[in-house]
Amino acid sequence: MLGSLRFRTAAAYVLLIVAAFAALALYLLPKVEGDFRENIEADLASQARMVENLVQPLVEEGAATATFDELAKQLGAQTDTRITIVAPDGIVLGDSEADPATMDNHLNRPEVQEAIRLGQGESDRRSATLGTEFTYVATRITVDDALAGIVRVARPTAAVNSSLSDITRSILIAVVITAAVAAGLSLAVGSTVMRPLGRLAGAARSIASGNLAERVRPRPSGEVGELADAFNHMAESLQELVTAASQGRERMIAALNSSVDAVLAVNAEGRVTFANQAAERLFERSGGDLVGKPFAWAMPNEEVLEALRASREDGRRETRLVERANRQYFRVITTPIIGGGEWAALVVFHDLTDVRRVEQVRRDFVANVSHELRTPLASIKSVIETLEGGALEDETAARDFLSRADAEVDRLVQIVEELLELSRIESGELPMSQEPVEMASVLADAVERLRRQAEKQGLSLTVDIAADLPPIIGDAERLARVVVNLLHNAVKFTPAGGSVHVWAGLAESAVVVKVTDTGVGIAPEDLPRIFERFYKSDRARASGGTGLGLAVVKHIVEAHGGTVGVESEPGQGSTFSFAIPVPSSSHGR
Ligand code: ADP
């Protein structure tokens, strides 16, 4: 591009020079030609007068014709001029180039006629004698005021024309040389100006392709140097702006990624333009997978789509409560971004699942406590009423009723104590001993405690404990409680003929205990909540348990830094397990 600019400048110079010379030639050539012809005519006229001066005495003497011809030939040989001497009657007396005897009468030649009339005459015409173009000048010879003859000199016009074409050729040569020099000069000057401009253009292209650190260095001289300064300055500001913008973007993305709420940015067409890490987890897609997809593809929920439309089109902030699969609850907030370019709206998914769960657990807890307390209280009340109604008189009946009331009070005390114990473990108030505990002996004791009950129910109780289990650090009494609770449930929920199996081993630096039964099992929808306080599956309602046993298990295990687990198949049986980490010092045992 710059190259063509260089050539265009050179071409303009050449054109200018050619035009100037052409104008000069158009103006000068006719003038030169006119002057040239005038000069020749004046020259010829003075020659004519000289010849006239030579001829006049001869005429006066009345010299012979041959004398005139001789003189003409002699003078003609000395000059490049044709000389003709004509008698007053037009007969040619002498001629430097031809034999007068063969020549026409010259009286009617225009220059001769003019000379007779005016003393001198000129004419440019073809010679009838020689057949070429001549410029003629004739003068009159007068003797005693009478016409005594005419002297005519002539020069071929071709000579004039060739002189003129010589001049024209010289002008042309000058034009060609000057134009060539001008073109060369302008190309040379052009390249010294264009080279820095070319560097400037190269730097601009480099910046456009993303290399913001590009500068024009070293600085070119002159005006291009000033242009380069301005350019470098501009590049500097551009780089600062872009750096600031990208830093701002990085900070914003870091902030969005640190949010636990999933955040999606959506453009004006409703396509996802950004997804934070929480969104990647929520939608189980990588950011690259989400970006560019329609928002409806990620979240095909009519209410949310409607809210997003309202935000994008009306600039309103909208909030919707949405339930996704797996009982996940979200508060979805759509916020318009005015002037956000590719980010037309932001959609935030605030996970309410846990909040909802906690609320539900609290509601259930209150309902369950009330329910669990109401049953024994109602029994006690009815015992008191019966006693008041007369049973007090009958001593055996009274004793019977009192022992029933006593049992209900025991149940109340058990519930209240378990609740108290739970809340103490939870709040960390309950002191737990931190002693080495051999899990094998804890398990053996617990199994022995429940063996009679299992046998009474017609169940087989088997044990498989790995030898060399390393000791764990904790509270032996409470760990025994955990095992008893699990075994108790297994026995309670397994019909006669079934079996209960206790397994203990070491896995991933933890002592793992599993209690497996072939009992009634637990419905899948109950499994996630089975360790909650008071949670009982429907078919266990009548079993008379408090629903606190597994909650106690969970809390004690967690207080030991361990985890609990359950797997169950309704009708097939259940496996409850817990794992308690082994302190690192006893690993290699
Ligand atoms: P409960 O005192 O009622 O036994 P838990 O907290 O020990 O209270 O158990 C809660 C519920 O878990 C029980 O009501 C029962 O529905 C279920 N459950 C616990 N263990 C078993 C098991 N081994 N087999 C089947 N269901 C069980």
Side-chain angles (χ1 to χ4, degrees), residues 33-47:
E33 189 180 352
D35 285 357
F36 207 69
R37 285 194 196 286
E38 252 168 47
N39 277 346
I40 284 171
E41 274 165 19
D43 199 24
L44 284 175
S46 69
Q47 279 191 25

Side-chain angles (χ1 to χ4, degrees), residues 487-503:
L487 274 174
H488 194 259
N489 279 345
V491 169
K492 187 159 71 175
F493 294 106
T494 305
S499 66
V500 173
H501 180 68
V502 178
W503 178 92

Side-chain angles (χ1 to χ4, degrees), residues 334-562:
T334 63
T335 311
I337 307 176
I338 311 293
E342 274 290 274
W343 290 31
L346 215 57
V347 188
V348 178
F349 298 82
H350 183 60
D351 193 344
L352 295 177
T353 313
D354 285 346
V355 178
R356 284 260 185 145
R357 242 177 95 94
V358 170
E359 275 172 16
Q360 186 63 41
V361 168
R362 194 180 51 82
R363 269 198 301 271
D364 288 354
F365 177 73
V366 174
N368 287 333
V369 172
S370 319
H371 178 82
E372 292 300 327
L373 295 181
R374 201 191 296 124
T375 319
L377 284 174
S379 299
I380 293 166
K381 173 108 179 125
S382 83
V383 165
I384 292 170
E385 279 171 1
T386 318
L387 287 174
E388 275 178 349
L392 202 56
E393 316 305 324
D394 179 345
E395 204 191 314
T396 7
R399 277 191 194 286
D400 183 36
F401 280 119
L402 273 179
S403 74
R404 254 197 262 172
D406 192 39
E408 293 300 347
V409 170
D410 281 349
R411 194 167 147 71
L412 275 177
V413 168
Q414 189 201 340
I415 292 175
V416 171
E417 274 183 352
E418 281 187 339
L419 273 177
L420 268 176
E421 165 117 342
L422 266 177
S423 75
R424 283 206 215 104
I425 299 174
E426 250 181 320
S427 63
E429 275 174 32
L430 196 70
M432 288 239 201
S433 29
Q434 298 280 322
E435 289 156 0
V437 179
E438 294 292 345
M439 210 55 204
S441 70
V442 171
L443 285 169
D445 287 352
V447 167
E448 278 325 302
R449 269 171 70 182
L450 278 144
R451 190 172 290 286
R452 265 197 56 209
Q453 194 184 336
E455 276 164 6
K456 218 165 75 186
Q457 274 182 234
L459 303 175
S460 75
L461 181 53
T462 52
V463 181
D464 173 13
I465 299 169
D468 276 0
L469 270 189
I472 51 172
I473 299 297
D475 191 320
E477 211 175 301
R478 294 217 160 73
L479 288 170
R481 177 86 174 274
V482 167
V483 181
V484 167
N485 280 7
L486 291 181
L487 274 174
H488 194 259
N489 279 345
V491 169
K492 187 159 71 175
F493 294 106
T494 305
S499 66
V500 173
H501 180 68
V502 178
W503 178 92
L506 191 66
E508 290 173 19
S509 323
V511 170
V512 179
V513 176
K514 288 184 179 176
V515 179
T516 306
D517 64 56
T518 57
V520 294
I522 302 159
E525 62 268 25
D526 290 329
L527 272 183
R529 301 189 59 188
I530 208 81
F531 287 98
E532 284 172 20
R533 268 173 268 218
F534 294 117
Y535 197 87
K536 300 184 200 171
S537 65
D538 278 341
R539 63 184 119 178
R541 285 266 167 238
S543 72
T546 57
L548 290 170
L550 286 180
V552 170
V553 165
K554 182 175 179 234
H555 278 90
I556 292 175
V557 170
E558 285 179 356
H560 281 82

